[in-house]
Every structure is written in C-alpha cells, then in structure tokens.
C-alpha cells in the first residue's frame, strides 16, 4: 500500500497557516470525528462532514475543520458559502474516498464542490475518487455516466489549495470556475495515461489564479484554460503523461469571453501529446487569446511541443468548412527546449479569417531523433529572435 499522506510536511505547512492567520481573531477547531465521521473507509461519513462544515460556516471565528488520519467514505457533497466565518481551513491528514460503485458519483457533476465561498483553504490530504471502474465502463460500453469532477470551486474568492493529492478522478480532478484570487500550490494529481477525460486542473471565467509547484499525470490536459481566464500564473509544473497545457478548447460558443494575460514558466513535459497548446474550434466566436508568455519549458519526447490549432473539429461535426473566429495575438515562446517525438515540433495552424499576430519565438531549441525538427505555419505573423531550431516558418 502506498502511504498517501505526509504528515510531517503538512504539519509544517499547518504551522505556517496558523502563523499566517490574523493573530487577533480567534481560531475554532472542528474535528470531523466529533460529528460522527468514521476513519474506517467503510462507514458513509458524508453527513458528518456536512455538519462540520455547517458548524464552521456559522462560526464568527476563523475556523479549522480537521480531518485526522484514516480513510473516510464520502458521497457527493456541496459546501455552500454565505458563511459567517471569515476563514475556513480544511486541514486533512487523511484520505477521502469515493464510493466503490462509480454510479453513485457518476450521476453528479462534482464529488466535492465549494460554491460561493470566500477564504477557504484546503491543506493536505488525499482524494481518492476511485475512477478506474468508470474508465473501464467507458472503454467497453457507451451508456456510462460522464462522471464527476473531484474538486470544484465555483463563484468563490480567496481560495488556497496546498499539498493535496488527487487520485484517479472520474472526470476533471480540479475545476476553478468563476473564481477570483485562487492559489494552488504543491498539488499532485495522478491518473493513468489512458484514462478518459481525467483533466488535471481546469480554469475558466476566473481571474488572479496561481498554479505553482504541481505535478500532474493524467489521461487528458494537464492544465486547461477556458474562456474568461485573466491573470493566470503557472510556474514549476511537471506534466506527463497527458495532453499538456492547453488554452482551449475555445470557440465552443459564439459569444465567449477572451483569455488574457497568462504566464506559463518553468514547466516540464514528459511524453505528453502536446506541450504548450492553444486550440479553438473552427467556428465563429467573439473570443480571443491575448498576452501569453510561455517561458523556460523542457520537453521530453513530446508529440506537439508548440502548437496553435484553430482547426479543431473532432469527428468533423458542426465545423467543416468553417473558420475560427478566435483572435490570437501577442504570444511569446521563450526558452523552449528539448525533444519532439514527431518531426513537426512547431505548428501554427491559424484561422484564415483571423491570422495569429504578434507571435514571438525566442531561444527555441527542439530536436527530433537528434536531427533538427520542422516547423509549419499557416496564417501566422510574428518574429523570431535567436531561434536555434527548427528553422522558423514565420
Ligand atoms: C498579469 O497577471 C499577473 C499575475 O498573473 C499580474 O501580476 C500582472 O499585474 C497582470 N498584468 C496586467 C497588465 O494586468
Ligand atoms: C540545442 O539542443 C541540442 C540537443 O539537445 C544541443 O546539442 C545543442 O547544443 C543545443 N543548442 C544550443 C545553442 O543550445
């Protein structure tokens, strides 16, 4: 058995959190065991967790909901906001486990969802969503539920997620939707490389989000960035297996908010399908992507290290013979190095109606089988500084 929790590490972080709390406010602790939770992995502890949340939420103090070591069986839970408590810390030393039967969570969109909360931190712990039985269903049947996101925050502010392990989600592991000021650090995500739709972290309609020092192994995008994302900072993230870091898919809808001011730095991609990708459907849309800096990336055997694909049209449904309305502008690739597992390491396939503009390649060095890789361009304008290889087509 793998030991999923690292108490010493989380204790240090816990101390840091206590120190970080405004020292003038009181801090009240709620232990889930006192609400009837059982750390045996067998007794349904859903009600106990929700009661602990209700108590913490109603307190006028800053609060800690403490989850001691052990395994807690939990069904789908919504932690609703409107709390009196200015700060609620979930300190988890144990593992939260989903029901063995995938159908129990499968019919919900989320397993653990926080809605309309302000000042919530999740510190430590492991979430085991028991996804493999649903993945197996999807591999052999067509009438499986789509599955639940493991952890989601919606319409929330001032959120911190630290030192969390998310294992084998049914769908996305973490979703940040309509949020502001979110700090994700030291999160590990693990799912099989061939698991369907198990995206790592998805951000949309949110601003001021940091994703730092994370390791993400999944069967889908490592981090996906949806419409309406603004001021996103990604740093020291390792991806793979999986589909890489992706802005998109965009142009899903005609009326769509843009993506702006995204920084992705110090990333490592190991055997992923893509490295740094921007992707939009070939469909009309009001959306845009503007002001993205991809800097210092190491690629190891990545199929498409640098790719802009504005002709995304899976199964050729609802998009053939259309062009993407998404305007892509001011995208910098700097210090991108390593190996491509296919000959074309840089591919800019932009919209004929809205060519990509302001694309900059600076110090890029990608090889394929120890030979220079190739690049491919359509409908793209930009400039190149110190490109080593492949030779630019800009
Ligand atoms: C871009 O986002 C970063 C945080 O990711 C922020 O520090 C910076 O001020 C933003 N820049 C603009 C022009 O808004
Ligand atoms: C480019 O990468 C190749 C292979 O990793 C390496 O041998 C070469 O020295 C690099 N060139 C520069 C200028 O960094």
């Amino acid at each position: 058995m793998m030991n999923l929790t690292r108490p010493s590490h989380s204790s240090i972080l816990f101390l840091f959190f206590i120190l970080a709390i405004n020292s003038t406010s009181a801090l009240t602790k709620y232990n889930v065991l006192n609400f009837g939770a059982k750390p045996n992995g067998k007794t349904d502890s859903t009600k106990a967790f929700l009661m602990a949340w209700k108590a913490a939420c109603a307190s006028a103090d800053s609060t800690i909901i403490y989850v001691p070591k052990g395994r807690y069986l939990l069904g789908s839970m919504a932690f609703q906001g409107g709390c009196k408590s200015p700060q609620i810390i979930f300190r988890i030393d144990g593992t939260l486990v989903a029901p063995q039967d995938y159908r129990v969570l499968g019919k919900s969109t989320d397993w653990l969802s926080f809605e309309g909360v302000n000042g919530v931190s999740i510190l430590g712990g492991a979430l085991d969503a028991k996804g493999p039985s649903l993945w197996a269903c999807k591999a052999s049947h067509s009438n499986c539920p789509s599955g639940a996101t493991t952890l989601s925050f919606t319409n929330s502010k001032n959120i911190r997620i630290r030192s969390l392990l998310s294992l084998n989600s049914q769908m996305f592991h973490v979703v940040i939707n309509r949020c502001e000021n979110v700090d994700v650090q030291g999160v590990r995500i693990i799912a099989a490389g061939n698991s369907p739709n198990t995206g790592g972290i998805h951000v949309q309609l949110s601003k001021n989000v940091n994703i730092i020092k994370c390791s993400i192994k999944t069967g889908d995008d490592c981090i996906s960035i949806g419409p309406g994302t603004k001021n996103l900072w990604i740093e020291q993230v390792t991806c793979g297996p999986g589909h890489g870091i992706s802005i998109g898919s965009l142009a899903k809808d005609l009326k769509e908010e843009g993506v702006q001011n995204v920084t992705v730095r110090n990333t490592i991609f190991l055997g992923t399908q893509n490295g740094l990708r921007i992707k939009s459907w070939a469909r009309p849309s009001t959306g845009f992507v503007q002001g993205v800096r991809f800097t210092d990336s190491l690629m190891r055997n990545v199929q498409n290290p640098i790719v802009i694909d504005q002709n995304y049209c899976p199964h050729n449904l609802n998009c053939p013979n259309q062009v993407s309305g998404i305007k892509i502008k001011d995208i910098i690739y700097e210090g991108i190095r390593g190996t491509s597992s296919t000959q074309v390491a840089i591919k800019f396939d932009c919209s004929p109606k809205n060519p990509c503009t302001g694309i900059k390649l600076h110090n890029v060095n990608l090889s394929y089988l120890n030979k220079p890789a190739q690049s491919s361009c359509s409908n793209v304008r930009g400039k190149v500084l110190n490109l080593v290889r492949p030779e630019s087509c800009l």
Side-chain angles (χ1 to χ4, degrees):
M1 278 297 290
M2 180 167 50
N3 183 1
L4 299 177
T5 53
R6 288 178 298 169
S8 58
H9 187 202
S10 90
S11 300
I12 292 164
L13 272 159
F14 179 57
L15 196 65
F16 167 79
F17 258 71
I18 298 302
L19 294 172
I21 288 171
N22 183 348
S23 54
T24 58
S25 75
L27 187 64
T28 310
K29 189 165 165 176
Y30 299 88
N31 187 326
V32 292
L33 298 182
N34 296 335
F35 292 85
K38 294 278 180 283
N40 59 15
K42 293 192 184 102
T43 311
D44 189 333
S45 297
T46 309
K47 280 211 180 89
F49 272 62
L50 288 173
M51 278 161 61
W53 171 262
K54 224 176 145 188
C57 180
S59 167
D61 301 334
S62 286
T63 52
I64 295 178
I65 298 172
Y66 180 56
V67 182
K69 269 191 194 164
R71 294 172 70 80
Y72 301 84
L73 178 64
L74 297 167
S76 177
M77 289 190 288
F79 300 100
Q80 299 287 350
C83 296
K84 244 173 110 185
S85 176
Q87 180 171 31
I88 302 178
I89 300 170
F90 252 101
R91 187 197 164 203
I92 310 175
D93 279 342
T95 299
L96 315 191
V97 283
Q100 193 63 52
D101 182 347
Y102 64 79
R103 288 168 300 189
V104 179
L105 286 191
K107 49 181 193 285
S108 318
T109 46
D110 303 281
W111 179 21
L112 311 168
S113 66
F114 290 81
E115 291 163 17
V117 301
N118 187 351
V120 168
S121 304
I122 296 185
L123 177 58
L127 311 176
D128 181 355
K130 301 261 179 230
S133 58
L134 175 61
W135 310 340
C137 175
K138 288 181 174 178
S140 58
H141 301 85
S142 55
N143 58 344
C144 311
S146 54
T149 289
T150 288
L151 175 66
S152 72
F153 282 88
T154 306
N155 288 320
S156 296
K157 274 186 192 168
N158 306 314
I159 304 305
R160 289 192 274 196
I161 306 174
R162 297 278 160 92
S163 306
L164 179 74
L165 170 64
S166 177
L167 207 58
N168 294 335
S169 192
Q170 289 192 336
M171 282 277 284
F172 289 106
H173 286 81
V174 178
V175 169
I176 312 286
N177 182 26
R178 298 185 186 276
C179 292
E180 208 178 309
N181 300 338
V182 180
D183 194 60
V184 178
Q185 288 200 37
V187 167
R188 284 183 304 150
I189 290 173
I190 304 175
N194 62 359
S195 56
N197 315 116
T198 54
I201 302 176
H202 179 72
V203 181
Q204 65 177 21
L205 299 167
S206 295
K207 63 180 182 185
N208 307 338
V209 177
N210 298 331
I211 300 172
I212 297 171
K213 291 190 178 136
C214 294
S215 151
I216 301 174
K217 305 174 183 186
T218 71
D220 209 300
D221 289 337
C222 174
I223 298 174
S224 50
I225 300 158
T229 301
K230 197 174 166 184
N231 305 347
L232 170 64
W233 189 277
I234 296 171
E235 183 167 1
Q236 287 189 64
V237 171
T238 301
C239 300
H243 296 180
I245 294 181
S246 193
I247 296 180
S249 307
L250 304 175
K252 211 167 178 183
D253 299 312
L254 176 59
K255 275 195 93 176
E256 214 177 68
E257 288 188 42
V259 172
Q260 54 189 313
N261 187 19
V262 174
T263 302
V264 179
R265 51 183 292 179
N266 276 319
T267 47
I268 299 175
F269 296 87
L270 304 171
T272 49
Q273 184 193 76
N274 307 286
L276 306 164
R277 171 166 67 163
I278 299 176
K279 129 177 133 166
S280 80
W281 291 76
R283 286 209 292 242
S285 176
T286 57
F288 62 87
V289 181
Q290 188 176 341
V292 180
R293 297 180 63 93
F294 293 115
T295 63
D296 297 310
S297 262
L298 178 66
M299 307 278 171
R300 285 273 172 263
N301 251 342
V302 173
Q303 287 175 43
N304 306 293
I306 292 177
V307 54
I308 298 180
D309 174 8
Q310 289 207 267
N311 287 297
Y312 181 66
C313 189
H315 316 300
N316 278 325
L317 274 175
N318 304 326
C319 27
N321 309 318
Q322 299 198 59
V323 295
S324 176
I326 300 286
K327 294 180 175 64
I328 297 177
K329 188 177 156 187
D330 297 334
I331 316 293
I332 298 175
Y333 301 87
E334 185 175 357
I336 316 295
R337 63 208 186 278
T339 56
S340 174
S341 66
T342 66
Q343 193 147 34
V344 178
I346 301 179
K347 184 176 173 187
F348 297 124
D349 184 6
C350 295
S351 165
K353 185 160 167 261
N354 299 294
C356 299
T357 57
I359 307 296
K360 285 194 192 108
L361 289 163
H362 190 174
N363 282 325
V364 173
N365 185 5
L366 294 163
S367 61
Y368 167 63
L369 298 176
N370 292 321
K371 292 182 299 242
Q374 290 175 8
S375 56
S376 129
C377 289
S378 49
N379 307 307
V380 54
R381 293 179 209 133
K383 64 180 183 196
V384 176
L385 266 160
N386 293 334
L387 183 90
V388 180
R389 58 186 181 177
E391 207 168 300
S392 163
C393 54
L394 280 178

